[in-house]
Amino acid sequence: MSTLPSRRPRLGVTSGSEGDRVTTLELFFDLVFVFAFTQVTWLMVHGDPPRSLLQGFVVLSLLWWAWSSYAWLANQARANRGLLRAAFVVAMIAMFVASLTIPEAFHEVPGGIPAAATLVFCYAVVRCAHLAVYLTAAGGDKALRGRVVRTAATSVAPTVAILAVGAAIGEPWQTWIWLGAVGYDFAAIYLGARAGGWVVQSAAHFAERHGLVVILALGESIVAVGVGVSGTPLSWSVITGGVLAITIAVGLWWQYFHHRFEQLEHALESRQGDDRARLASEVFTYLHFPLIAGIILTALGLEQAMAHISDDHLGPLGGWALAGGLTCALLASALTIVRTGGTIPRLWWASTAVVLASGALLTLLPPVWALALAAFLVALFCASDKS
């Protein structure tokens, strides 16, 4: 009689295997990022655009690497057991404190502790805890352990050092130094992934994990609608705007989950070894970032529209955030299919350019009509997308 191979737990670590699904601890971990996404939107709204948009992008990049690194870790070994459980709890606490610093990350309020330095410290804790535990989760896989060590030396350590320099110098250089740090991190991790060594134990878990973070980002777009009308008397404009805003969020959900998600999971399942890991890195770690960024930017546009629902025009921040966010999300969604070998009709690409160009019109329209136009464009994509 054949028996299943033993997993040989070490420090309570249980290796992942094909068919594993997301654990409840990972879902709990994600709740911190719901709050963090809301803080990023706040930073972009209450700053000085377009610089505040760039600052929001930088912070969102840091959040993405923190979240993504633990998605890889939980795929290597079960998150709700042993040493990994402790690492996830520590990371969750550190990320919550980091999220508290976001509104003051670039413009500190006198009298408090240094927000930028606190954010960098918490980020370092999250990334270092991840790498330390990954060494144990790798078990006897020498190639994976080597990749973890090289990532610590070539990616995490330099990135944290650059972030610390930016926090020490402060504005106006901090924004650009931090942008350089996240740009370096993106490039270093990408090149490391191309060299091989990483492992995707469960395609189902990895795809589900990233589907859930898309849901989290879409949840921010729902929250943004409520934040936008906070303190505004209920009116037909508020109700109509809310319905249209939710329709846009539903359209983005449809674009990803009605067509894309199952195709991406199937593509990942059909590959093995380094080929699977490279696909996971490029499609999920990299192309899902602009998808999430686009949804968050769309949420900013929705919040602006609802906050100015009675005005005679939406304005440049809301109009271009709505058009730019939708364009970014739609393009990233399409590129995931292209990377897995699928095709996107040429008309689809041209239509995406139309969505971006619509920003000029959205800024001039009353918010309700701007939301109606954006909802119409998203609905057209949902109706025409046969990929």
Side-chain angles (χ1 to χ4, degrees):
M1 178 184 296
S2 63
T3 58
L4 293 175
S6 64
R7 293 187 173 184
R8 297 185 180 182
R10 180 186 178 191
L11 297 178
V13 174
T14 302
S15 297
S17 60
E18 194 68 76
D20 283 347
R21 310 300 300 192
V22 174
T23 65
T24 54
L25 179 57
E26 292 169 85
L27 298 176
F28 189 33
F29 178 77
D30 286 351
L31 294 180
V32 173
F33 289 85
V34 175
F35 174 57
F37 289 160
T38 301
Q39 293 284 75
V40 170
T41 304
W42 190 98
L43 175 65
M44 292 190 292
V45 170
H46 292 86
D48 183 20
R51 191 180 186 85
S52 62
L53 298 180
L54 180 60
Q55 292 168 343
F57 169 81
V58 168
V59 174
L60 185 62
S61 300
L62 297 177
L63 295 176
W64 178 251
W65 282 122
W67 181 90
S68 182
S69 61
Y70 281 80
W72 281 87
L73 176 60
N75 191 268
Q76 177 65 26
R78 303 300 288 158
N80 59 345
R81 298 177 186 174
L83 186 61
L84 264 76
R85 179 169 53 197
F88 267 78
V89 171
V90 168
M92 183 168 62
I93 294 171
M95 282 310 304
F96 181 76
V97 175
S99 299
L100 292 175
T101 72
I102 291 174
E104 297 182 47
F106 298 91
H107 304 284
E108 296 182 4
V109 177
I113 63 175
T118 303
L119 192 157
V120 174
F121 174 78
C122 291
Y123 182 71
V125 169
V126 171
R127 295 294 298 274
C128 291
H130 161 260
L131 293 171
V133 175
Y134 221 128
L135 287 173
T136 300
D141 189 337
K142 292 183 179 180
L144 179 56
R145 290 172 65 87
R147 175 50 55 197
V148 172
V149 171
R150 286 190 291 274
T151 298
T154 63
S155 173
V156 176
T159 298
V160 171
I162 298 170
L163 290 172
V165 169
I169 292 177
E171 285 294 291
W173 293 106
Q174 179 188 341
T175 299
W176 300 107
I177 294 172
W178 280 20
L179 180 62
V182 298
Y184 172 83
D185 208 15
F186 268 71
I189 292 178
Y190 178 78
L191 293 175
R194 295 292 297 175
W198 295 111
V199 178
V200 176
Q201 301 280 16
S202 172
H205 171 274
F206 205 75
E208 181 183 9
R209 198 75 189 89
H210 288 78
L212 288 171
V213 79
V214 173
I215 290 291
L216 292 182
L218 289 172
E220 167 57 17
S221 67
I222 305 297
V223 171
V225 175
V227 171
V229 296
S230 179
T232 302
L234 185 64
S235 64
W236 285 111
S237 294
V238 169
I239 293 175
T240 303
V243 169
L244 291 169
I246 298 301
T247 300
I248 293 170
V250 170
L252 290 175
W253 168 85
W254 182 278
Q255 270 287 301
Y256 182 81
F257 287 99
H258 184 66
H259 292 296
R260 310 277 187 255
F261 183 72
E262 291 184 0
Q263 291 176 270
L264 298 179
E265 182 176 352
H266 176 72
L268 197 60
E269 287 176 343
S270 66
R271 290 166 169 80
Q272 298 296 327
D274 286 342
D275 187 32
R276 173 187 278 195
R278 278 192 292 270
L279 184 70
S281 173
E282 293 175 12
V283 169
F284 290 98
T285 302
Y286 279 86
L287 287 177
H288 272 61
F289 174 69
L291 173 62
I292 298 301
I295 295 174
I296 298 299
L297 192 56
T298 301
L300 171 61
L302 296 178
E303 180 178 338
Q304 287 294 291
M306 297 305 296
H308 302 89
I309 197 69
S310 299
D311 292 357
D312 56 359
H313 65 280
L314 177 55
L317 177 59
W320 286 111
L322 198 53
L326 290 173
T327 302
C328 189
L330 292 169
L331 276 176
S333 180
L335 288 173
T336 60
I337 296 301
V338 173
R339 174 59 183 84
T340 55
T343 59
I344 300 294
R346 291 183 179 179
L347 181 60
W348 199 98
W349 300 110
S351 300
T352 308
V354 171
V355 173
L356 179 60
S358 71
L361 179 58
L362 293 175
T363 62
L364 302 175
L365 290 174
V368 170
W369 287 104
L371 290 171
L373 176 58
F376 174 73
L377 292 173
V378 172
L380 284 180
F381 271 90
C382 292
S384 63
D385 189 0
K386 305 299 182 183
S387 60

